[in-house]
Amino acid sequence: MTDILDLKGKVAIITGAGQGVGQQAALHFGAHNCGGVIVNDFHLDRAEAVAEEVRAAGGKALAIQADVTDLAAVKDMVSRAEAELGPVEILVNNAGNAGAAPTRETRAPFYEVGPEVWDHYIRVNLYGVINCTSAVVPGMIARGGGRIVTVISDAGRMGETGLEIYSGAKAGAAGFMRGVARSLGRHNIAANCVAIAATLTPAIEGRLRADPERLKKMMSNYVIRRPGRPDDVANMILYLSSDAAAWVTGQTYPVNGGFSFAL
């Protein structure tokens, strides 16, 4: 039977892939004929562990440490990826949240802190997306096509109490993707977003599992009354990266268990 999600030997970079959604996306890609998965993470040991998982399952993978907020490091990552595995035709901008080294102050009210704290969110969730996209787009244009998928949050669609700067950065990333989709569609480059809600990534799983009452209260806001799993999100990322979504661009797809039905 034909695999409509076959990635046809294309090489992909997945940022922040050392755990959670990015890790699962890397495993999905490896299982669907990806020509090579560049497993990026700020922490090399995490990236190497996931790359080994992909290889153990029969896929090709390369672990590369790079901080997505550092444009020079991102360009070096792309150059190395293309030298070792081939042209990058798929980019998944997954790195996000409060960055690689969040501080206690990142959860303080935004009006009590300033740019040095706001930057934790803005640099990784917005500039990280811009950096990685700008690094791969010239090659995609030259080759006549590509797929870019950016993981945002329902916070960027609806706003989130206590996460105002994060919400703004994620909304900015979505707007950037729409602009990229409009300007680069003539080059057969598709750009889309996946918006997620409460998903059991390492960043939140421990807190939710340790507090069953909090989890129960949170899930009362969801139509499907369970937290998301990394594979729920990875399924959509895989679809948008494949030719099954060849005529889809400039869109944001919520994978949120019915937390919001907002357009």
Side-chain angles (χ1 to χ4, degrees), residues 3 13 32 46 83 86 98 123-124 156 158 161 164 170-172 180 184 199 203 238-239 256:
D3 177 9
I13 290 176
H32 287 272
R46 296 199 309 214
R123 292 186 66 208
V124 67
M158 300 175 58
T161 301
E164 296 86 357
K170 287 297 191 183
V180 167
L184 300 182
T199 303
L238 176 62
Y239 164 69
N256 65 8

Side-chain angles (χ1 to χ4, degrees), residues 124-182:
V124 67
N125 295 290
L126 180 53
Y127 276 102
V129 172
I130 296 171
N131 287 343
C132 293
T133 302
S134 68
V136 301
V137 157
M140 290 180 176
I141 291 173
R143 291 184 293 273
R147 298 284 185 272
I148 304 169
V149 181
T150 295
V151 178
I152 66 163
S153 165
D154 261 8
R157 296 172 62 237
M158 300 175 58
E160 179 68 28
T161 301
L163 290 172
E164 296 86 357
I165 306 301
Y166 174 76
S167 299
K170 287 297 191 183
F176 174 67
M177 281 292 99
R178 290 192 292 271
V180 167
R182 190 170 294 279

Side-chain angles (χ1 to χ4, degrees), residues 18 33 38 88 151 205 209 238:
N33 194 29
I38 291 84
V88 175
V151 178
E205 182 171 11
R209 295 299 190 196
L238 176 62

Side-chain angles (χ1 to χ4, degrees), residues 66-256:
D67 180 349
V68 298
T69 70
D70 181 341
L71 180 57
V74 168
K75 288 183 175 180
D76 286 346
M77 172 175 65
V78 174
S79 295
R80 181 182 167 194
E82 298 198 335
E84 297 195 30
L85 291 178
V88 175
E89 297 181 80
I90 301 169
L91 168 66
V92 179
N93 289 307
N94 172 69
N97 208 345
T103 66
R104 292 179 63 184
E105 288 76 18
T106 56
R107 295 311 297 261
F110 74 94
Y111 48 84
E112 292 182 357
V113 292
E116 70 284 356
V117 175
W118 303 338
D119 280 356
H120 282 271
Y121 289 115
I122 295 171
R123 292 186 66 208
V124 67
N125 295 290
L126 180 53
Y127 276 102
V129 172
I130 296 171
N131 287 343
C132 293
T133 302
S134 68
V136 301
V137 157
M140 290 180 176
I141 291 173
R143 291 184 293 273
R147 298 284 185 272
I148 304 169
V149 181
T150 295
V151 178
I152 66 163
S153 165
D154 261 8
R157 296 172 62 237
M158 300 175 58
E160 179 68 28
T161 301
L163 290 172
E164 296 86 357
I165 306 301
Y166 174 76
S167 299
K170 287 297 191 183
F176 174 67
M177 281 292 99
R178 290 192 292 271
V180 167
R182 190 170 294 279
S183 62
L184 300 182
R186 66 184 184 276
H187 298 291
N188 193 34
I189 297 172
N192 294 286
C193 291
V194 179
I196 66 176
T199 303
L200 294 176
T201 61
I204 68 169
E205 182 171 11
R207 295 200 304 269
L208 292 181
R209 295 299 190 196
D211 190 347
E213 286 304 310
R214 180 185 178 193
L215 176 60
K216 182 178 179 180
K217 182 178 179 180
M218 181 182 292
M219 288 303 104
S220 69
N221 295 312
Y222 288 70
V223 174
I224 300 174
R225 296 201 172 182
R226 66 163 174 85
R229 299 185 299 259
D231 60 291
D232 293 319
V233 185
N235 291 341
M236 182 61 77
I237 292 171
L238 176 62
Y239 164 69
L240 291 172
S241 300
S242 75
D243 285 350
W247 210 48
V248 177
T249 194
Q251 306 302 311
T252 294
Y253 287 86
V255 179
N256 65 8

